[in-house]
Amino acid sequence: MDSIGGTIPFVQLEKVSRIYRQSNQEFVVLKEVTFDLQRGSFVVILGPSGSGKSTLLHLLGGMDRPSSGLVKVDGADISKWKSDQLSQYRRTKVGFVFQSYNLLASQSALENVTLPLLASSVAKSDQHSKAMELLKRVGLEEKANLKINQLSGGQAQRVAIARALAANPDIILADEPTGNLDSASGQQIMTLLASLVRDEGRLVIVVTHNEEFIPLADRVIRLRDGQIQSDEAKANMVPVEKHTTDAHSGKSRSIRVLSLFNLARKAITTRLARSILTSLGVAIGVTMMVLLIGIGAGIKANVVKGISSLGPLTMIHVTPKVASNSFGPPGSTALGTQVSSPITSKTLSTLSHLSNVRGAYVAATYFATIGSKSNSGQSLVLTGLAPKNLWSIKGILPKLKAGHFPNGSQGVVIPLSLAKSLVPTSSKVSSLLGQKINIRATFQPGSFGPSGITPTPSYTQTMIIRGFSSSGSSGYISYSSAMSWAKIFANDSKTLHYPGVNVISKTLSSVRPLVKKITNMGYNVVSLDTTLKSISTAFSFLEAGLGALGGIALVVAGLMIGVVMSMSVLEKKREIGILRAIGIRRKDVSRLFLSQAFIIGLFGGVVGVIVADGAGSIINAIVQNFSHSKASIFGLPWWLILLGIALGAGSSVLAGLIPARRAASLNPVDALHQE
Ligand code: ADP
Ligand code: MG
């Protein structure tokens, strides 16, 4: 493959033609050009404007493919190579120097020189020193940290040469490198290029208009109308040591993720205002979505909390079935109704022995009045608590404001509001704890005893106040109190009929089978779990509806991002051309765009979630202010935070995908022509 003693030419062009076709017209820009070039020679290409000089350089530099003919470099025909192979060729074998420098104006000299190294196998830690070394080579180490637009034309062109040398290439291609420079700077550049041949043995090909530089050349090729007009090799060729490529330069690799993000970050900060605007677009979409879903989730959580406060979700409430010819709503055991399946102590025992039942107890409630004189008493509802062995079940006990639950048969918990009315304004309610109080309980008609018309008996007992409940009218007595009161009210304790039984399931998953089983036994069954499920389903629809609205908001934001990204591709075409010309792969260019979109989207997502949280808190405050409650209708669970951020970043990446692909697929030559 390699030339031995320089006899086999390093570059060979065989009948290379380049034809442009435009609306049925053909422009033959290069016509069967054939020549050989040796390593270590300084080649000058001359010719009038439009003669095909740049086209020829693009073919040699792997930026364009010939319409016919062969372009062989170091024995390999590069004219057949695919995009990625050509990228690698540009990155490792050739360095391009342009008339208009084609440097990234917003970046420093050092950063521009480092750019090709990002995609090389040069270790990250060595990239900086390597770039500095190259700047030193072109005499600009003192200007390393200046931005390109702070440099003179001659200095910028020297930075471009340093960049071209970054991969230690065999070939340097320069397209009218002195065209924008004064003659002194031009001379300096030409001398520098010549030294790359004389000192380093590279092949340097320079396109120029300036006949002044002919004496520097080993070879002068003149083009006219796409054909070679003359080709003279000069005898003054100085043999030099063959240039050797670095071990690393042939290896290809992707740009490191960190370098990529750094580049993307710079691109974003360069156009900060626009990037922030795009981010805000994402933020608006995310805010709307998070707010809408959060409101749905918040309302639902509120409902779940409300229902859960009624008792544990594993609780199943069993009541007797009312005969079909009875009056009143099902489940009620109003006066005179016929109960088809009464609940007795036998039923209680059967229910508590069902599999997966943790325990079962009678649900007993009494109407009661407090006070010594029956007519001036305050009314309340006294409910029997669960038996003590079930107290460890979460949610089975109601909330207490103060004190503790009654243990023995004497204790009672009364509502705090009622307690307040019992003490003079000057003394504390807590002074009531441990005090005796007369309670007159009224048997709830029909709820105990065999059905039938019964007089409404009442039963007065002295109780001890043990605690205060938060509810306005609910008080509590112990299970043993509730059961002993039941016996007093019943006509016949042997056939005592209970108004209902609470069955506690061992697990949530066994609630449904138990409900089914007990229903089949002929009872009315209500479980919080099933109630909750049906309400939850209703709220899931609400949530989904709100989420869909939020999703639409996000899609709109995504489209906005897409438009902005597309616009930035148009605007950045030249930068993309530069990246592609120095051999950054398509994949890396599109990754660069996607990382920009990702950063913008991530930022927008985070901002969106924060704004939604703020707006949600304001909504909650307003609702609480008007409803005088602690109810919150907006909730921000952790999954919604993640969802918001993920959707912000994700939708941006999606919206950026097409522009990124388009950016990457741009032909480097076409992209560079955006001037
Ligand atoms: P030079 O560099 O010698 O001035 P070029 O190689 O740039 O000339 O261009 C040679 C000819 O090819 C010109 O006439 C130009 O108009 C034509 N040409 C270059 N690029 C294209 C293209 N993309 N489509 C059509 N014609 C082109
Ligand atoms: Mg040109």
Side-chain angles (χ1 to χ4, degrees):
M1 294 275 281
D2 217 327
S3 56
I4 300 159
T7 47
I8 297 176
F10 187 56
V11 172
Q12 291 172 280
L13 260 66
E14 286 176 27
K15 294 192 165 184
V16 167
S17 295
R18 182 67 174 96
I19 299 161
Y20 287 108
R21 289 186 179 84
Q22 253 169 11
S23 53
N24 301 329
Q25 258 193 307
E26 284 196 350
F27 300 95
V28 182
V29 175
L30 285 179
K31 204 184 290 171
E32 302 202 332
V33 173
T34 299
F35 59 76
D36 295 346
L37 301 174
Q38 302 290 349
R39 283 182 193 265
S41 46
F42 191 47
V43 182
V44 166
I45 297 176
L46 292 155
S49 189
S51 56
K53 305 181 299 290
S54 296
T55 307
L56 184 62
L57 273 202
H58 292 150
L59 292 176
L60 287 169
M63 301 236 283
D64 192 13
R65 290 193 195 84
S67 309
S68 65
L70 300 181
V71 180
K72 278 190 180 173
V73 178
D74 208 1
D77 181 11
I78 69 165
S79 61
K80 306 284 183 300
W81 279 359
K82 296 224 165 67
S83 167
D84 274 358
Q85 270 176 302
L86 284 177
S87 285
Q88 187 181 341
Y89 171 74
R90 290 198 295 272
R91 194 170 58 244
T92 58
K93 289 272 189 187
V94 291
F96 240 104
V97 179
F98 304 89
Q99 178 178 353
S100 49
Y101 327 127
N102 280 338
L103 296 162
L104 301 182
S106 58
Q107 304 216 6
S108 72
L110 189 67
E111 284 165 334
N112 269 282
V113 178
T114 313
L115 207 57
L117 295 172
L118 295 178
S120 74
S121 58
V122 175
K124 178 106 183 113
S125 51
D126 298 338
Q127 288 174 2
H128 185 264
S129 57
K130 171 102 204 218
M132 274 313 278
E133 202 182 290
L134 290 163
L135 280 174
K136 209 168 177 174
R137 172 79 181 79
V138 299
L140 278 181
E141 70 267 41
E142 272 148 36
K143 310 281 182 187
N145 293 316
L146 291 184
K147 293 261 163 69
I148 297 305
N149 47 28
Q150 294 169 314
L151 298 177
S152 73
Q155 289 167 337
Q157 197 58 297
R158 281 191 276 159
V159 172
I161 291 171
R163 183 184 64 185
L165 288 171
N168 194 18
D170 292 315
I171 309 167
I172 297 285
L173 301 169
D175 194 351
E176 302 190 36
T178 61
N180 288 3
L181 303 177
D182 59 87
S183 67
S185 306
Q187 194 65 49
Q188 225 179 5
I189 292 298
M190 275 303 185
T191 313
L192 178 60
L193 288 171
S195 75
L196 302 178
V197 181
R198 306 297 167 230
D199 306 344
E200 297 167 12
R202 298 180 211 270
L203 169 59
V204 176
I205 305 166
V206 181
V207 165
T208 183
H209 280 306
N210 202 336
E211 306 261 339
E212 225 180 281
F213 299 125
I214 292 175
L216 286 170
D218 302 312
R219 178 90 172 262
V220 179
I221 297 171
R222 287 176 195 272
L223 281 184
R224 180 174 285 274
D225 297 333
Q227 284 179 300
I228 293 183
Q229 195 187 25
S230 73
D231 181 355
E232 40 180 311
K234 300 218 242 138
N236 67 348
M237 257 184 89
V238 185
V240 287
E241 263 181 60
K242 193 164 77 72
H243 164 72
T244 48
T245 320
D246 284 359
H248 71 254
S249 62
K251 286 183 198 148
S252 119
R253 68 188 314 286
S254 283
I255 301 187
R256 290 168 187 81
V257 174
L258 214 70
S259 311
L260 209 61
F261 268 92
N262 248 340
L263 276 179
R265 190 177 49 81
K266 283 209 185 102
I268 288 169
T269 45
T270 312
R271 296 174 175 81
L272 196 60
R274 164 131 28 118
S275 304
I276 288 176
L277 273 178
T278 316
S279 248
L280 283 184
V282 181
I284 290 168
V286 170
T287 299
M288 281 173 73
M289 193 208 62
V290 169
L291 206 55
L292 292 169
I293 294 183
I295 287 173
I299 292 175
K300 191 174 154 186
N302 228 6
V303 170
V304 171
K305 215 163 85 189
I307 290 178
S308 305
S309 72
L310 296 175
L313 293 180
T314 47
M315 186 188 276
I316 300 163
H317 189 60
V318 182
T319 52
K321 200 165 242 167
V322 179
S324 56
N325 62 348
S326 68
F327 302 99
S332 76
T333 44
L335 194 71
T337 52
Q338 291 290 320
V339 169
S340 63
S341 57
I343 295 177
T344 63
S345 55
K346 211 176 142 214
T347 322
L348 182 63
S349 156
T350 311
L351 290 174
S352 55
H353 287 101
L354 289 175
S355 57
N356 288 323
V357 167
R358 168 87 191 273
Y361 63 97
V362 173
T365 300
Y366 302 90
F367 291 128
T369 47
I370 282 182
S372 44
K373 286 174 219 148
S374 58
N375 53 350
S376 66
Q378 309 227 34
S379 64
L380 72 159
V381 174
L382 284 176
T383 303
L385 294 165
K388 189 120 193 252
N389 65 323
L390 296 178
W391 282 13
S392 61
I393 294 167
K394 194 172 168 271
I396 203 162
L397 291 174
K399 292 246 178 328
L400 277 195
K401 280 279 187 205
H404 56 82
F405 288 107
N407 209 346
S409 55
Q410 291 255 280
V412 66
V413 166
I414 61 170
L416 184 65
S417 51
L418 199 154
K420 276 179 181 159
S421 70
L422 293 179
V423 289
T425 40
S426 54
S427 44
K428 282 187 175 168
V429 200
S430 56
S431 65
L432 281 177
L433 292 174
Q435 298 273 316
K436 285 186 176 155
I437 193 171
N438 283 329
I439 289 189
R440 194 171 70 94
T442 318
F443 153 56
Q444 206 175 333
S447 58
F448 286 98
S451 61
I453 296 163
T454 35
T456 304
S458 67
Y459 167 68
T460 306
Q461 198 189 345
T462 304
M463 305 283 283
I464 299 167
I465 300 174
R466 291 297 180 202
F468 307 119
S469 63
S470 54
S471 138
S473 62
S474 289
Y476 302 94
I477 51 175
S478 70
Y479 189 61
S480 54
S481 296
M483 292 308 284
S484 58
W485 289 12
K487 289 202 179 91
I488 293 163
F489 288 126
N491 303 349
D492 175 0
S493 63
K494 274 182 202 138
T495 57
L496 191 58
H497 289 188
Y498 300 127
V501 166
N502 289 329
V503 176
I504 310 289
S505 161
K506 271 185 185 151
T507 61
L508 258 183
S509 56
S510 53
V511 169
R512 291 201 162 181
L514 272 173
V515 164
K516 212 170 164 196
K517 197 183 270 178
I518 301 170
T519 308
N520 289 340
M521 287 163 69
Y523 299 100
N524 270 324
V525 183
V526 179
S527 84
L528 289 179
D529 178 58
T530 41
T531 313
L532 190 62
K533 283 229 166 72
S534 54
I535 293 175
S536 289
T537 315
F539 276 98
S540 296
F541 279 112
L542 175 73
E543 216 176 3
L546 291 171
L549 281 177
I552 292 170
L554 203 68
V555 168
V556 171
L559 286 175
M560 229 167 91
I561 300 160
V563 170
V564 175
M565 296 296 287
S566 303
M567 271 162 40
S568 81
V569 172
L570 281 179
E571 189 201 50
K572 288 177 156 183
K573 243 177 155 176
R574 240 189 99 169
E575 276 180 26
I576 293 162
I578 294 169
L579 292 175
R580 299 280 289 128
I582 63 171
I584 305 288
R585 288 192 289 193
R586 280 185 181 182
K587 226 189 286 174
D588 285 333
V589 171
S590 77
R591 275 185 195 151
L592 182 63
F593 261 74
L594 288 182
S595 357
Q596 280 181 39
F598 180 77
I599 294 172
I600 286 175
L602 193 70
F603 184 72
V606 170
V607 169
V609 169
I610 292 171
V611 171
D613 190 36
S617 304
I618 292 171
I619 292 173
N620 281 345
I622 292 171
V623 168
Q624 284 162 12
N625 189 36
F626 278 102
S627 67
H628 300 289
S629 75
K630 280 190 178 160
S632 55
I633 67 162
F634 172 81
L636 189 59
W638 63 268
W639 57 262
L640 190 53
I641 297 176
L642 291 187
L643 185 73
I645 295 172
L647 277 173
S651 71
S652 302
V653 169
L654 268 182
L657 215 56
I658 295 166
R661 289 244 169 112
R662 238 182 44 198
S665 67
L666 284 176
N667 176 328
V669 178
D670 290 343
L672 279 176
H673 274 165
Q674 302 288 310
E675 302 197 28

